[in-house]
Amino acid sequence: MPRRRARVPAAVLLIAPSLVVMTALFAWPLLVGVSQAFSGPDGPTTSYVERMLDDPYFWPAVRNTALLVVVLVPLQFAFALTMALLLRERPRFAGVHFFIWVIPLAISDLAAGLVWLSVFADRGYLNSTLDRLGLDGYAWLSYENTTSMFLTVVVAELWRSTSLVLVIVVAGLQGIPKDYDEAAEVFGASYWQRLRHVVLPQLRPSLQVALILRTILALETFAVAQALTGRNLPLLVGETYEWYNVLQNPNVASAIALVVLAVSMLAAIGYLRLLRDRTVAR
Amino acid sequence: MTNRIKLHSGISRRGLLGLGLGVAAAPALTACGGVSTSGADGGEGAVNFLSTQFTQVEERQRFEKILGARVSSPKVAFNPVDAPTFATTVKSQLDAGKVQLSLLGGLHGDLAPHAERLTDLGDVLGSLGDRGFSSDLTDLAKLSGDTTRYVPWMQATYVLAVNKKALEWLPSGADVQKLTYDQLLSWMTSARQANGNKPVFGFPAGPKGLYHRFFQGFLLPSFTGGQITTFRGRDAAVAWDYMKQLWAQTVPASTNYDSMQEPLQRGEVLVAWDHVARLRDAPGDKPDDWLMVPAPRGPRGLGYMLVVAGLAIPEGAPEADKAKEVIKALTTGEVQADVLRENAFFPVTGAEIPADLPGAVKLEAGAVKAQQEADGAIVSLPPVGVGARDGEVGQIFKNVFKEVCLDGKPVQGVLDAQATQLNAILDELKVPCWRPDPGDNPCRVV
């Protein structure tokens, strides 16, 4: 009997290109980033991390970023799910609705930020409209009004990136067989019961992807906030940019970037565990 | 039965995927537009001139016009970029040994970190003896060494712009041309009260504003006589207490102002401190409604900051000889006067200040002269020798402002914390102090 030649398993061959790409484009920069954050001219040091922690902008940035994720992500999911379920009812011109809702996805972050800046600026569209209605304008983006600054960023981000969740949820909905839903309807389940027990559980994988994506992207909110509020409402990625580009200190910038990375990874792991499909494990 | 939701216009999953890919690609593609940093293409034999000055479009156009009219041969490709881009471009080209730049123009602080990469311009400066450079400036051009690393190009400073409407609230006995900081505060306080509780004083505290220069070169030297060494002393605490009170009388939108000429023009602000080049357009076509006055005086004297720009040639520049011709041309009296007229940067040479200046520049010229010649003037420089750390050093002063004036934290605690940060930066740099601090080596907060 001829001996089988030892072969590289197909799985290894298939995974090899992505391994190479991941190493070159992710693992290597990650290593460089870590070493940049922890090594100074005289060898290993934690001084850059200390600089980061002592910076008067760092903790406000952490707080604002966390608050943004907590407020933004649930709102976006509520909107996106509602919109997707509306589309599922096949209204007239559903395609047009869908198309219009997805337009913000095609606009770059910075452009979206500038558009919203023209709305909320002291002499922007909103204040002009208020003025025309005989009401006093409000300094939405003044450093004194942290709440309104925060809200403008939430509104702009909501407008800009809810459609990403929508696209994922609509795709997920299309993958769900109608049979279950119709069977439930035959047995007299109400709309809410069907939604809760039939549609949403099957949508879980899509929701998981969307949640991870959106949380990480919300942690990375940058251009929109930068255009609207500059450094008046510090956010983590904005601080990275500030340290790297304006203050020309890549070491501290790396340290902040590592914080973003760590939080993103924790969030992703958390969602994967939280939304685990327990029926499979049983 | 299909398991696909049929939307009215029939978006299939494939269509959706295509759409998704398309929209994902759009922002990536729009981000691809790049900026040439190796010099605007001047073609073969042109002098590639990289500058941190005149980056604003109008300033750039006006300067290019001067270059075109006064420096026709050799051909100059003028390419203004922001300071970080300048620093990385110069560093990378010289360290890689592929120099495309022939002429560098930047502020003293932009050129200082590259001292070792700049050719000795002693011969050029020597041949320009008739220009009448002051020895202060030529000493500065040696960048703390023995060789001349750049030729002074132009200078500027900061002054107060005053709309004459605000004069009615000037406290009795105060001379607007010779204000003290206390008079400024009481003036702005009564102006606010008389103006329906709306402040009239403005301050360029926006993201790109130069307000840290106010603390470094004006407020602190006037109150403490120093910039760095006296950073957390008792006098500095007094200065910041003063700043807190002045901020309370300042237009709150100041944290969005990068340059004061627009808010002054719009009438949102009646009195403002800023760089002369950033006040130039404020009076517009009504210079008679405006005054430009020297900065106020504090207990230690009239602190003001001198901004010096220089012209340098990098080692291995492809067109070094032609670049020297350009330097000679840019330091002639005519060009110095043109630059003042058009872009409000003042001559570094003994050039006569022309009589036909535009209204605003004429006002500024008077204020600059009065400021320079004031008795008890304390000249200070932007940080020297800190190189790429200039932003971080400036940020320390901005941090104090944020914590003291915006967040209302106790002054001394903030000063102590920020002094630690400042010393951490300075300990790494190990540079001597710059004016007005005594030239101690290394420079540290006491």
Side-chain angles (χ1 to χ4, degrees), chain B residues 101-444:
Chain B
L101 302 165
S102 297
L103 186 58
L104 305 176
L107 299 182
H108 178 88
D110 298 329
L111 297 172
H114 305 293
E116 299 307 313
R117 301 189 181 98
L118 305 176
T119 53
D120 180 359
L121 290 181
D123 56 330
V124 180
L125 196 62
S127 72
L128 296 175
D130 58 328
R131 299 285 199 265
F133 293 110
S134 83
S135 61
D136 272 359
L137 295 178
T138 49
D139 284 350
L140 213 55
K142 290 183 177 155
L143 296 176
S144 328
D146 300 323
T147 35
T148 300
R149 298 294 181 177
Y150 66 79
V151 173
W153 176 17
M154 49 193 193
Q155 60 176 324
T157 183
Y158 302 74
V159 295
L160 277 179
V162 177
N163 188 320
K164 283 184 181 166
K165 273 187 226 162
L167 288 179
E168 58 171 306
W169 304 304
L170 194 68
S172 61
D175 177 358
V176 71
Q177 296 288 348
K178 289 179 180 168
L179 286 174
T180 65
Y181 276 99
D182 287 335
Q183 285 170 340
L184 177 70
L185 180 61
S186 57
W187 180 20
M188 291 303 110
T189 309
S190 46
R192 178 193 185 145
Q193 284 158 358
N195 192 36
N197 208 28
K198 279 210 281 198
V200 301
F201 182 68
F203 188 59
K208 289 183 183 162
L210 294 171
Y211 62 115
H212 51 296
R213 301 300 189 211
F214 178 71
F215 312 131
Q216 291 172 322
F218 292 79
L219 182 76
L220 292 175
S222 299
F223 277 79
T224 71
Q227 184 181 128
I228 300 291
T229 50
T230 55
F231 183 84
R232 69 164 150 208
R234 191 173 297 156
D235 289 341
V238 174
W240 283 105
D241 268 327
Y242 171 85
M243 190 60 217
K244 202 169 170 174
Q245 296 172 49
L246 185 63
W247 177 251
Q249 309 304 329
T250 304
V251 175
S254 287
T255 53
N256 299 327
Y257 296 152
D258 288 340
S259 145
M260 291 313 298
Q261 55 197 7
E262 290 88 11
L264 283 167
Q265 248 174 347
R266 291 195 298 258
E268 284 172 33
V269 168
L270 297 180
V271 179
W273 169 96
D274 208 343
H275 191 287
V276 284
R278 295 179 175 206
L279 291 172
R280 185 183 175 279
D281 294 341
D285 47 7
K286 290 184 202 146
D288 292 343
D289 294 353
W290 294 82
L291 288 176
M292 297 274 180
V293 301
R297 171 185 299 271
R300 297 292 177 112
L302 195 165
Y304 77 93
M305 187 175 269
L306 185 63
V307 181
V308 187
L311 296 163
I313 298 177
E315 290 283 358
E319 302 290 349
D321 290 335
K322 287 183 187 169
K324 286 179 183 172
E325 291 305 311
V326 178
I327 293 179
K328 285 176 188 164
L330 287 178
T331 50
T332 57
E334 297 85 42
V335 176
Q336 294 270 313
D338 279 351
V339 170
L340 173 62
R341 194 179 293 124
E342 298 294 332
N343 279 350
F345 265 88
F346 288 81
V348 281
T349 62
E352 279 287 308
I353 298 228
D356 62 333
L357 290 175
V361 180
K362 200 173 199 167
L363 291 173
E364 287 178 347
V368 169
K369 193 161 181 284
Q371 188 161 281
Q372 264 167 355
E373 291 170 359
D375 50 315
I378 304 171
V379 184
S380 50
L381 288 175
V384 174
V386 302
R389 295 304 184 83
D390 185 64
E392 273 186 75
V393 173
Q395 186 62 43
I396 298 287
F397 293 86
K398 293 180 184 175
N399 285 348
V400 179
F401 169 73
K402 172 187 155 56
E403 298 199 283
V404 167
C405 299
L406 305 187
D407 302 344
K409 292 190 182 165
V411 175
Q412 196 60 52
V414 171
L415 286 180
D416 291 342
Q418 292 300 322
T420 315
Q421 301 276 329
L422 186 53
N423 275 339
I425 301 170
L426 291 170
D427 285 347
E428 263 181 55
L429 292 166
K430 299 185 184 70
V431 289
C433 280
W434 50 92
R435 281 175 22 179
D437 286 304
D440 292 345
N441 197 3
C443 196
R444 283 192 109 242

Side-chain angles (χ1 to χ4, degrees), chain A residues 41 47-48 50-51 54-57 60 87-88 90-96 98-99 102 105-109 122-123 141-144 167 170-171 173-179 182 230-232 242-243 245-249 251, chain B residues 1-9 11-13 16 19-20 23-24 26-27 30 82-85 87-88 207 211 247 252-253 255-256 266 268 388-392 395-396 398-399 402-403 405-407 409 418 421 424-425 428:
Chain A
S47 66
Y48 299 116
E50 284 160 23
R51 276 293 287 290
D54 289 341
D55 190 62
Y57 286 89
L87 281 176
R88 193 164 174 260
R90 299 177 217 170
R92 277 163 66 85
F93 309 119
V96 179
F98 182 77
F99 185 74
V102 175
L105 258 193
I107 293 172
S108 89
D109 288 18
D122 280 359
R123 298 186 174 205
L141 301 174
S142 161
Y143 78 96
E144 293 168 308
V167 170
V170 167
L173 276 179
Q174 290 186 350
I176 300 175
K178 283 235 113 181
D179 317 24
E182 282 165 5
R231 217 182 176 192
N232 285 345
E242 189 76 21
W243 277 97
N245 198 42
V246 182
L247 303 178
Q248 297 269 306
N249 190 330
N251 306 81
Chain B
M1 190 169 66
T2 171
N3 64 359
R4 184 193 290 162
I5 302 171
K6 266 243 165 30
L7 300 176
H8 191 74
S9 64
I11 291 185
S12 65
R13 233 188 298 176
L16 197 64
L19 187 63
V23 295
T30 54
D82 58 7
T85 314
T88 36
Y211 62 115
W247 177 251
T255 53
N256 299 327
R266 291 195 298 258
E268 284 172 33
R389 295 304 184 83
D390 185 64
E392 273 186 75
Q395 186 62 43
I396 298 287
K398 293 180 184 175
N399 285 348
K402 172 187 155 56
E403 298 199 283
C405 299
L406 305 187
D407 302 344
K409 292 190 182 165
Q418 292 300 322
Q421 301 276 329
I425 301 170
E428 263 181 55

